[in-house]
Amino acid sequence: MKMFSVAHKTVFVVDHCPYMAESSRQQVECDVLTKSRAQGVIPLAPVSKSLWTCAVECSMEYCRILYDIYPKDKLVNYIVSDSEFHILNSWRREDQSTHELMSALAAVGPPNPREDPECCSILHGLVAAVESLCKITELQHERRTALMDTAERVANRGRIICLTNAKSDTHVRMLEDCIQETILDQNKMAAGSDRLMSIQQCELVLVHIYPQGEDTLVSDRPKKEISPLLTSEVHSVRAGRHLATKLNILVQQHFDLTSTTITNIPMKEEQHANTSANYDVELLHHRDAHLEFFKSGDLHMAGTSTRENGLKETVTLKWCTPRTNTIELHYCTGAYRISPTDVNSRPSSCLTNFLLNGRSVLLEQPRKSGSKVISHMLSSHGGEIFLHVLNSNRSTLEDPPSISEGCGGRVTDYRITDFGEFMRENRLTPVSESTHDPSGKLPAERAKAQLERHTRYWPMIISQTTIFNMQAVVPLANLIVKETLTEEDVLTCQKTVYNLVDMERKNDPLPISTVGSRGKGPKRDEQYRIMWNELETLVKTHAGATDRHQRVLDCIIACRSKPPEEEERKKRGRKREEREDRTEKNGNKETDDKSWQESERLKGLLDKEDQESEVIKDSPDSPEPLNKKPRLTTEEVQPPERAKGPVSLLTMWTNRITAANSRKHQEFVGRASSVNNKFELYQHLKDENGMDVHENGKASR
């Protein structure tokens, strides 16, 4: 069955009454050669277009864009209304061209301002538009003939665009009522005729045109349903460029079009043939050409911008220097006809001629950093220009990657086993029609709801989750996705939470992935913080289902709020771990270097002292050396701490040097009487102030 949309038929009804000959009051400068004009030459006065001229130009631009992008299946019927209606073309394909319409409009001529306004009305054209919608097009006839017995299934819909100068809102409502009555009358006639089709849906777009500088008497109104057969919308627009912009927006809305702006197009200047400048050209095409941008959310990367009217958006793509090899084939996922927005501008004309000469242009997404991504290509086929969508992702023609290798070779730790279990839990099975669900939902709806609950939070990669790698969390993860929970389910979830609290108290390790991180990974306290955050995220996605789901979330929040002494203990543990890590990283190397340097220095001093002692003893003129008092007991010498495990050569040499030096001098009294290598100074001052000084150096009153 072929369903024809409203866009299949479009009827333009343009007012040709005397008031349309009024000036639009938008001046057009004719004297553009002001610099080269000789003295004494009177400059040309500016001119202004009439409302009729503005309406014809804008409607023809609407038709030009439509014919460029949809040359076959979108049809236009053009009607002019004054004292009677004038149908300028038919639904036949040979009449669907701007050349035919311009020739017919030239024959009609401009409105006659001296004609009696009472004899002219836009109603003549609107009635003829409804009658025209009932006529069968060639495409509809082909479909009706193919369907034969089911010909009534072919829909007949259409759109009427009326360009007029309405008097008031009451006048607009009168026009809508007239169209509604005409549709009903024509449907009755079509029911008894094989050459006519009843209208299932009609859209009326009424554009009220008024001169610049005047206040509008008709207010804008969005689309409104007048009846099941008729919808209506009203646009009040100033003549001139405002009307052109409005119809440009309407043609995009009516035929699902969008805009792309090609930037940085190099063009040689006319005045300076050796220099070039960069220009921009805006193109219209079907919105499916940007479908990949919408899917991936990369519209911001493609340079989406809203223009001054605030109603249209354009996607910016950058020109790439074309290659000389035109035989090169590109993997395209779609091709869409284009139409320049400003067809008469020099940049648009140069780009069009460049492409029609057999050249192709690659277009890239503008990026601030990274490699460029070529996403589209402009090329012509059979005299028509197409925007080709290039596949910037992995080609479907290549061999698919193994799931263990990862998509594109980037991710390799997929939760393959968990995904298999997930598929088993969400399998669809046939169900009999007699099966009745108390909630009244269909089986398909229940299956979709279950799938939605199970996928609210389901990380695909092992390294992106902690709780799904823990066996302790499995009971809670399986129960929280249920539509309803029993009291026993709530107790099981709470028991799981308490087990996690007990694991944190015991400081048990967690299965935290360290892929891509240096060192040991996060601290134990940080690991549990990550785990609690993820668990809370999982439960929050289901907390709004029932009150029992909320009770599970409340339990998690309550267990996360630790008492102050627990927080203080955690803080001390973190400081101790940080201190140990710093000692492990820096202490070993620095201690070894300092010990070796100190041992070398002490060895040199020891050898020097031995040599000096021998010289003094052998010299007869030298006095006796001072006898240093040796230590009487060996208890005063603190033996070095015995290292665990085998003793290194450095430690043995250091101990030997230290023992030798300790026998050659009298120990410093402060070091000898110190406690933990600490000695309190100025003890006599505290004695004078009445302080009691103990042997360990600590004073107390």
Side-chain angles (χ1 to χ4, degrees), residues 393-394 405-414 461:
N393 300 322
R394 192 182 184 111
E405 296 175 2
C407 178
R410 292 188 298 272
V411 180
T412 57
D413 56 342
Y414 288 113
I461 302 173

Side-chain angles (χ1 to χ4, degrees), residues 40 49 70 78 93 110 165 217 304 306 323 329 356 410 420 438 462 464 477 480 514 545 551-552 556 576 587 697:
K49 301 176 183 178
Y70 299 101
Y78 208 99
R93 292 176 179 174
N165 180 268
L217 302 177
T304 306
T306 305
R323 299 178 180 177
L329 296 177
L356 291 177
R410 292 188 298 272
I462 297 175
Q464 291 181 349
I480 201 65
T514 58
R551 284 168 55 187
V552 178
I556 294 175
R576 182 171 63 254

Side-chain angles (χ1 to χ4, degrees), residues 415 418 457-462 464-468 534 538:
R415 297 171 55 200
D418 295 342
Y457 183 77
W458 202 92
M460 296 182 63
I461 302 173
I462 297 175
Q464 291 181 349
T465 180
T466 300
I467 59 176
F468 289 102
E534 186 179 6
L538 170 65

Side-chain angles (χ1 to χ4, degrees), residues 312-479:
K312 292 197 302 181
E313 289 187 348
T314 181
V315 174
T316 302
L317 297 177
K318 189 178 178 182
W319 167 287
C320 283
T321 303
R323 299 178 180 177
T324 56
N325 184 13
T326 58
I327 308 177
E328 181 180 0
L329 296 177
H330 298 275
Y331 173 49
C332 300
T333 59
Y336 305 91
R337 289 182 174 87
I338 62 98
S339 178
T341 301
D342 190 1
V343 69
N344 294 321
S345 67
R346 180 172 171 266
S348 298
S349 177
C350 290
L351 176 62
T352 302
N353 293 332
F354 181 84
L355 295 171
L356 291 177
N357 288 332
R359 305 295 295 274
S360 298
V361 176
L362 298 178
L363 306 175
E364 64 173 291
Q365 301 178 20
R367 296 196 173 200
K368 296 182 179 179
S369 61
S371 60
K372 63 181 181 180
V373 177
I374 298 177
S375 58
H376 294 77
M377 179 183 70
L378 283 173
S379 184
S380 64
H381 304 286
E384 293 181 300
I385 301 176
F386 291 83
L387 178 65
H388 299 73
V389 182
L390 304 181
N391 184 30
S392 54
N393 300 322
R394 192 182 184 111
S395 173
T396 55
L397 302 178
E398 302 176 15
D399 293 333
S402 171
I403 191 170
S404 60
E405 296 175 2
C407 178
R410 292 188 298 272
V411 180
T412 57
D413 56 342
Y414 288 113
R415 297 171 55 200
I416 302 174
T417 306
D418 295 342
F419 188 69
E421 185 65 27
F422 168 79
M423 289 191 295
R424 281 193 293 270
E425 293 176 355
N426 292 275
R427 284 182 300 180
L428 294 178
T429 57
V431 62
S432 61
E433 297 181 358
S434 59
T435 304
H436 177 69
D437 183 53
S439 62
K441 293 183 179 180
L442 296 175
E445 298 298 327
R446 296 202 307 270
K448 290 179 181 178
Q450 176 177 329
L451 188 62
E452 188 274 333
R453 291 195 307 272
H454 280 70
T455 55
R456 286 179 188 174
Y457 183 77
W458 202 92
M460 296 182 63
I461 302 173
I462 297 175
S463 59
Q464 291 181 349
T465 180
T466 300
I467 59 176
F468 289 102
N469 301 330
M470 301 170 58
Q471 284 296 120
V473 190
V474 171
L476 186 146
N478 292 337
L479 292 174

Side-chain angles (χ1 to χ4, degrees), residues 40-71:
V41 177
I42 301 175
L44 298 175
V47 298
S48 60
K49 301 176 183 178
S50 64
L51 298 180
W52 162 259
T53 303
C54 293
V56 169
E57 288 182 351
C58 296
S59 60
M60 291 306 301
E61 184 69 11
Y62 183 105
C63 295
R64 180 193 66 80
I65 295 173
L66 176 60
Y67 289 146
D68 283 348
I69 300 177
Y70 299 101

Side-chain angles (χ1 to χ4, degrees), residues 509-521:
L510 295 179
I512 296 290
S513 175
T514 58
V515 177
S517 61
R518 296 181 178 179
K520 298 180 180 180

Side-chain angles (χ1 to χ4, degrees), residues 40 69 97 173 422 460 479 514 581 615 644 662:
I69 300 177
S97 67
R173 287 193 293 271
F422 168 79
M460 296 182 63
L479 292 174
T514 58
D581 286 346
V615 171
K644 297 180 180 180
S662 64

